Amino acid sequence: MLRSTVITLVTAFTALTGCTAGGGATGRVQVFVEAEDTIPEGLQPGSGEENIVDGWAANYTKFLVVVGNFRAGRSTDSSASLSDPAVYVVDLLNLPVGGFVLTEFDDVEAVRWDRVGYDIPNASADAEAAEGTSAADREFMVTNGFSVYVEGAITKADGVSCVPGTDECVAATEVKFAWGLAAGTSFDDCAPEEGDAGFAVPSGGTAQIKPTIHGDHWFFTNITQGAEITERRAQWIADADLNHDGEATLDELRMVKAAEVFTPELGYSVTGAQIPVTTAYDYLEAQARTLGDFQGEGECPTRAAL
């Protein structure tokens, strides 16, 4: 009831301001949560822009994220506002066809809404299970206070795992991971890959807005704050398997010095990270705080810890 009440109040307000500032022209807004292709399809080795350049493949068997608190405003009218505080645990490997509908607004002024944001917060008791998400997964995220949880593996036929800072390597054709992070972050000033910030509402039509969760950022060699100009590497995950048991755990990541695996020689830079990066775990968390994008490959460059 709270969510419905909030949306009703907001849409009534926007309809009123539409009569005043927008000449009465209105439309609808639908907000979908979308998974980048790297989440259901994984990443392949190669030299292409979307490939992992050091020969590893990566695939996910679980990808849970908490998404919500969608908001939009206009720089030309500080009183104009769309907002829905609802928050959901979303299973990105079991999304409905076309994405999960996060929220909808009716009678929205048919103008450009250029200030757009949403959150990937740490799960709390208020978080609901999205369509396609099990009650058990929702409870798991809430109990642990995670903002994101992933399971999967990197694979490489001739892969090796090398003790960081040494030449000591052993064969490793598969390294698994299961990572849960409380890395709550807000994402604002969202803009599509090309064009103006935010979105435009067509008169009598529907604007479909897609906060997009990316699944490749911890493979990046830098912390992107705009266009994703970066390579993708996975060797650091294999090297973080310190006991060579086939899994890189969060405890092991905390023992790996960032300077030993994220070297400038490999193109790494941690400039722009929201947190100090001294370990591999820090790098993972810093990248988890960049997963929220917009309309596919668009960016939300203003980020803040929640």
Side-chain angles (χ1 to χ4, degrees), residues 101-123:
V101 179
L102 183 66
T103 188
E104 298 179 277
F105 303 95
D106 295 323
D107 299 320
V108 178
E109 282 188 82
V111 294
R112 176 163 289 279
W113 296 75
D114 62 341
R115 292 183 171 174
V116 178
Y118 65 96
D119 294 344
I120 298 181
N122 299 331

Side-chain angles (χ1 to χ4, degrees), residues 133-153:
T133 302
S134 71
D137 281 341
R138 180 261 176 196
E139 184 65 24
F140 171 77
M141 295 293 281
V142 170
T143 299
N144 289 283
F146 291 150
S147 58
V148 62
Y149 176 80
V150 297
E151 294 179 5

Side-chain angles (χ1 to χ4, degrees), residues 140-284:
F140 171 77
M141 295 293 281
V142 170
T143 299
N144 289 283
F146 291 150
S147 58
V148 62
Y149 176 80
V150 297
E151 294 179 5
I154 58 171
T155 56
K156 184 180 180 182
D158 58 350
V160 295
S161 173
C162 302
V163 177
T166 75
D167 294 326
E168 180 186 336
C169 301
V170 300
T173 58
E174 178 183 65
V175 179
K176 297 180 180 179
F177 52 83
W179 298 331
L181 299 167
T185 306
S186 61
F187 296 84
D188 286 286
D189 296 321
C190 300
E193 187 174 16
E194 297 181 357
D196 296 330
F199 59 90
V201 177
S203 177
T206 300
Q208 293 189 329
I209 312 307
K210 295 182 179 181
T212 308
I213 311 305
H214 282 215
D216 58 351
H217 287 201
W218 26 68
F219 300 109
F220 285 3
T221 55
N222 58 55
I223 312 292
T224 62
Q225 293 176 290
E228 294 181 354
I229 302 174
T230 182
E231 287 187 329
R232 292 158 178 77
R233 293 180 177 273
Q235 184 61 44
W236 72 271
I237 298 174
D239 293 345
D241 179 16
L242 299 179
N243 63 1
H244 304 309
D245 69 346
E247 180 177 2
T249 68
L250 292 180
D251 286 341
E252 288 174 314
L253 265 58
R254 291 185 177 97
M255 292 187 285
V256 174
K257 294 179 180 179
E260 293 180 338
V261 289
F262 306 118
T263 65
E265 291 77 15
L266 293 175
Y268 281 100
S269 171
V270 298
T271 301
Q274 287 188 27
I275 60 174
V277 177
T278 59
T279 69
Y281 176 87
D282 297 333
Y283 192 81
L284 174 68

Side-chain angles (χ1 to χ4, degrees), residues 287-306:
Q287 293 291 19
R289 294 183 181 276
T290 72
L291 296 182
D293 280 8
F294 184 68
Q295 303 292 65
E297 295 298 325
E299 295 282 334
C300 301
T302 301
R303 305 161 183 157
L306 296 173

